[in-house]
């Protein structure tokens, strides 16, 4: 069997599995549709959260980004894992005790304010929708690369599949397909990583192979890589080139943004008890860490492999995979000095080779000469990562419309049956809209995702944390804080990314903070404004005080599982 | 009845204070291991190597150590909170009063 046949078989089998799970776990009530009836075990929820969290970007792009930026890539590794500590310690258990279905539910009830609820709905819709468009695009890219259909057809197939199981199964169907998708994606990530680690260092574990000596020599791999970088004029791999301030702020924005993303927070409503929410956060991060500690090893292996394969070699003698990727335009070679050799250098005036970061994971099996079925496996893994994240996000979009907007704000007397139908319809509309954006991408998908994190960090996170830990925080404070954080962050990002991108350089940034890291400052603005405004306005009512007492302690009135009734 | 009520209130407050203390300690560790060891002190820590490997300490903390530490912090929190819940008698019970 050739690569194509293997890919069809493996991807086909994984899709059949997802569909079977969806049929088995149809949602019958709104409770099942929004939060899987609150009956998911902590380990299963951990697996589902991990799949929900790890998107096409984590699976396909992250190792490539680290590979090209070395130490600087740590911002993603720490930023996209450290947020779970905040989530487990500051949000998950209390939101679980609160119960209900969505993040705007909590904001609206805690601040007893429809304005706060609507602001939260708008943030949730914006954050989730920008994110989902990137996922649909990822599905299309994987399809077009491995199955040789057009990107648009790929997006359509992905839409059809997500439509089927998200609309039918709601959170219940999504949860159990995500468990299966985690297994597919982690297997697909680890198999090539282990093969390559053995080839390069003789260690089966990429996590230790990464720090070992290059096979057959006494030089540590990372030292070899630093040496190669120095020869070619790149910054040292283990030290990086970003300023410390910027690394600090980007890491913080990603961490806090992670803790404020609604599709991750709602996953903690699906477990039976408060203590399950805490354990579940631990399991989720453990499953995520399996991929996130492998990624930097893959990055270092791929970087060393790449430089040694191409640098200074005759273009005509390069291995076959280089030519294959040149056809897709993701590798470009331009022989500036006409000597037929590849000069891969940091200096843009002399460099002759441009490589797209995204191919590092996809090309890895070919670079390392792994068997054909591994390539099919990587394709199935990339699809699992993109589809699982897309489904989780679509559920947030649909529940924000049917539950927060219709049931809680516009049509409070809507029946259970009517709400469930509205949820299914809005999920279907959201899938189609996301597919449309995936087929006609607005050209700045990557910028928009950075936007989503900055906004989640500067809007949701402070409102949620203050709502739990401060009795004095009231609606006026929370709403003005959210708006101040949002406006500050959005205008900084819009200024540098969309209005005057030519100024987007460190010397123009405020205190050396890039637009990717500005969400951290936006969060501080939010906290400060919320605190000041709440001091000069009346404290929250008796009812709200009782609600705060209730969510802080696991036992007592309104125990977590009562929502399933 | 009244005495019992105030007793339970006291337990709930004690539970909350112990929770805050634990959260504060773990967050200090979280900050020290990620922002401290992996960013602010990373250049200095890079002069050391982890014995038996090629890892420079600051780099390893940023790309491996901090992630492992995050997982450990959450599990420590979950374990300790289970204990505090039990000691203060504030666990959730189902309809039959089972824990």
């Amino acid at each position: 069997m050739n690569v194509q046949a293997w890919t069809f078989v493996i991807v086909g089998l994984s899709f059949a599995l997802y569909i079977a799970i969806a049929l088995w776990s149809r949602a019958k009530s709104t409770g099942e549709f929004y939060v899987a009836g609150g009956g998911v075990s902590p380990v299963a929820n951990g697996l589902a959260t991990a799949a929900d969290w790890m998107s096409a970007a984590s699976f396909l792009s992250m190792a490539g980004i680290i590979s090209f930026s070395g130490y600087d890539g740590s911002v993603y590794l720490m930023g996209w894992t450290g947020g779970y500590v905040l989530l487990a310690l500051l949000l998950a258990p209390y939101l679980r005790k609160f119960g209900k279905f969505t993040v705007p539910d909590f904001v609206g009830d805690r601040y007893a304010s429809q304005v706060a609820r609507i602001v939260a709905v708008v943030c949730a819709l914006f954050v989730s929708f920008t994110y989902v468009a990137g996922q649909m695009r990822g599905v299309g890219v994987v399809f077009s690369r491995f199955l040789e259909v057009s990107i648009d057809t790929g997006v359509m197939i992905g839409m059809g599949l997500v439509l089927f199981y998200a609309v039918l199964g709601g959170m219940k169907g999504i949860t159990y397909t995500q468990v299966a998708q985690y297994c597919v994606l982690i297997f697909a990530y680890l198999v090539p990583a282990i093969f390559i680690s053995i080839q390069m260092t003789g260690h089966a574990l990429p996590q230790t192979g990464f720090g070992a000596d290059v096979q057959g020599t006494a030089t540590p791999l990372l030292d070899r890589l630093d040496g190669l970088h120095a020869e070619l004029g790149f910054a040292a791999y283990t030290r990086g080139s970003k300023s410390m301030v910027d690394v600090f702020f980007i890491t913080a924005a990603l961490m806090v943004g992670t803790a404020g993303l609604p599709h991750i927070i709602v996953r903690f409503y699906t477990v039976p008890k408060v203590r399950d929410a805490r354990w579940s956060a631990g399991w989720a991060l453990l499953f995520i860490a399996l991929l996130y500690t492998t990624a930097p090893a893959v990055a270092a292996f791929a970087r060393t492999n790449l430089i040694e394969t191409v640098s200074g070699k005759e273009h005509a003698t390069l291995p076959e995979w280089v030519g294959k990727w040149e056809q897709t335009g993701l590798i470009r070679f331009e022989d500036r000095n006409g000597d037929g050799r590849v000069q891969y250098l940091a200096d843009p005036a002399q460099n002759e080779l441009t490589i797209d970061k995204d191919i590092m994971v996809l090309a890895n099996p070919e670079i390392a000469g792994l068997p054909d079925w591994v390539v099919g496996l990587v394709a199935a893994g990339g699809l699992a990562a993109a589809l699982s994240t897309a489904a989780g996000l679509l559920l947030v979009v649909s529940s924000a419309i049917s539950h927060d907007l219709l049931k809680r704000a516009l049509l409070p007397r809507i029946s259970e049956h009517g709400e469930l139908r509205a949820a299914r319809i809005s999920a279907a509309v959201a899938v189609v809209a996301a597919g449309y954006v995936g087929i006609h991408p607005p050209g700045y998908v990557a910028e928009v995702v950075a936007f989503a994190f900055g906004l989640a960090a500067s809007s949701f996170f402070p409102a949620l944390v203050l709502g739990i830990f401060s009795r004095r925080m009231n609606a006026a404070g929370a709403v003005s804080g959210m708006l101040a954080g949002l406006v500050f962050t959005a205008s900084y990002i819009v200024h540098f990314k969309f209005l005057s991108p030519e100024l987007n350089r460190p010397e123009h940034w405020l205190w050396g903070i890039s637009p990717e890291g500005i969400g951290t400052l936006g969060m501080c603005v939010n906290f400060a404004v919320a605190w000041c405004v709440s001091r000069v306005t009346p404290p929250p009512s008796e009812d709200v005080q009782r609600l705060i007492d209730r969510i802080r302690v696991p036992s007592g009135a309104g125990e977590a599982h009562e929502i399933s009734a | 009845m009244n005495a019992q009520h105030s007793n339970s209130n006291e337990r709930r407050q004690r539970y909350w204070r112990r929770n805050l203390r634990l959260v504060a300690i773990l967050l200090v560790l979280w900050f020290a291991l990620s922002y401290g060891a992996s960013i602010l002190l990373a250049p200095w820590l890079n002069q050391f190597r982890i014995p038996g490997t090629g890892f420079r300490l600051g780099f390893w903390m940023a790309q491996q150590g901090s992630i492992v530490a995050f997982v450990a912090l959450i599990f420590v929190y979950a374990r300790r909170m289970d204990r505090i819940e039990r000691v203060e008698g504030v666990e959730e019970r189902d309809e039959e009063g089972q824990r």
Side-chain angles (χ1 to χ4, degrees), chain A residues 71-85:
Chain A
Y71 170 81
D72 290 344
S74 316
V75 299
Y76 300 106
L77 291 168
M78 286 191 283
W80 287 340
T81 53
Y84 279 84
V85 178

Side-chain angles (χ1 to χ4, degrees), chain A residues 112-124:
Chain A
S113 151
Q114 289 295 59
V115 179
R117 188 189 306 276
I118 302 294
V119 171
V121 170
V122 172
C123 293

Side-chain angles (χ1 to χ4, degrees), chain A residues 55-333:
Chain A
S55 60
S58 290
F59 190 93
L60 297 174
S61 312
M62 193 174 64
I65 293 171
I66 300 167
S67 195
F68 283 82
S69 58
Y71 170 81
D72 290 344
S74 316
V75 299
Y76 300 106
L77 291 168
M78 286 191 283
W80 287 340
T81 53
Y84 279 84
V85 178
L86 297 175
L87 200 56
L89 272 53
L90 301 178
L91 300 175
Y94 319 106
L95 291 175
R96 179 65 202 91
K97 179 66 197 301
F98 169 72
K100 302 267 173 82
F101 300 138
T102 67
V103 175
D105 256 344
F106 176 76
V107 175
D109 288 6
R110 161 61 181 85
Y111 294 113
S113 151
Q114 289 295 59
V115 179
R117 188 189 306 276
I118 302 294
V119 171
V121 170
V122 172
C123 293
L125 284 177
F126 184 83
V127 169
S128 304
F129 201 79
T130 49
Y131 216 103
V132 82
Q135 301 308 316
M136 296 315 276
R137 189 77 189 160
V139 172
V141 170
V142 174
F143 264 110
S144 71
R145 169 62 188 85
F146 289 100
L147 298 172
E148 291 176 16
V149 297
S150 72
I151 291 190
D152 296 1
T153 318
V155 173
M156 304 270 200
I157 299 173
M159 263 166 63
L161 191 67
V162 174
L163 196 65
F164 183 74
Y165 68 72
V167 173
L168 201 65
M171 185 57 117
K172 201 173 160 205
I174 287 174
T175 301
Y176 295 106
T177 37
Q178 279 174 339
V179 171
Q181 282 160 339
Y182 176 79
C183 300
V184 172
L185 82 87
I186 199 70
F187 187 66
Y189 205 82
L190 293 182
V191 165
I194 290 169
F195 270 119
I196 294 169
S197 180
I198 293 173
Q199 280 181 2
M200 293 193 68
T201 65
H203 280 238
L205 265 186
Q207 285 85 345
T208 61
F210 180 32
D213 295 344
V214 180
Q215 189 82 301
T217 70
T219 328
L221 179 94
L222 289 167
D223 285 12
R224 161 89 71 96
L225 196 48
D226 277 344
L228 288 170
H229 266 214
E231 265 173 49
L232 304 177
F234 292 101
Y237 189 84
T238 55
R239 292 173 202 254
S241 56
K242 274 194 167 73
S243 76
M244 191 182 279
V245 178
D246 205 20
V247 169
F248 190 99
F249 274 81
I250 296 176
T251 307
L254 295 178
M255 280 193 193
V256 179
T258 301
L261 284 178
H263 70 291
I264 298 303
I265 296 176
V266 293
R267 288 238 49 100
F268 294 95
Y269 286 111
T270 66
V271 292
K273 289 182 174 185
V274 173
R275 64 180 294 260
D276 298 330
R278 294 191 282 256
W279 283 100
S280 188
W283 289 116
L285 188 58
L286 179 71
F287 297 132
I288 292 168
L290 220 50
L291 190 145
Y292 272 60
T293 52
T294 307
V298 170
F301 296 146
R303 184 74 180 157
T304 314
N305 233 332
L306 176 81
I307 295 178
E308 292 186 334
T309 309
V310 301
S311 180
K313 299 280 168 21
E314 297 234 9
H315 183 248
T317 65
L318 291 180
E320 193 193 350
W321 61 265
V322 177
K324 212 159 121 196
W325 287 97
E326 272 182 296
Q327 282 169 14
T328 64
L330 294 174
I331 293 183
R332 279 194 307 279
F333 172 64

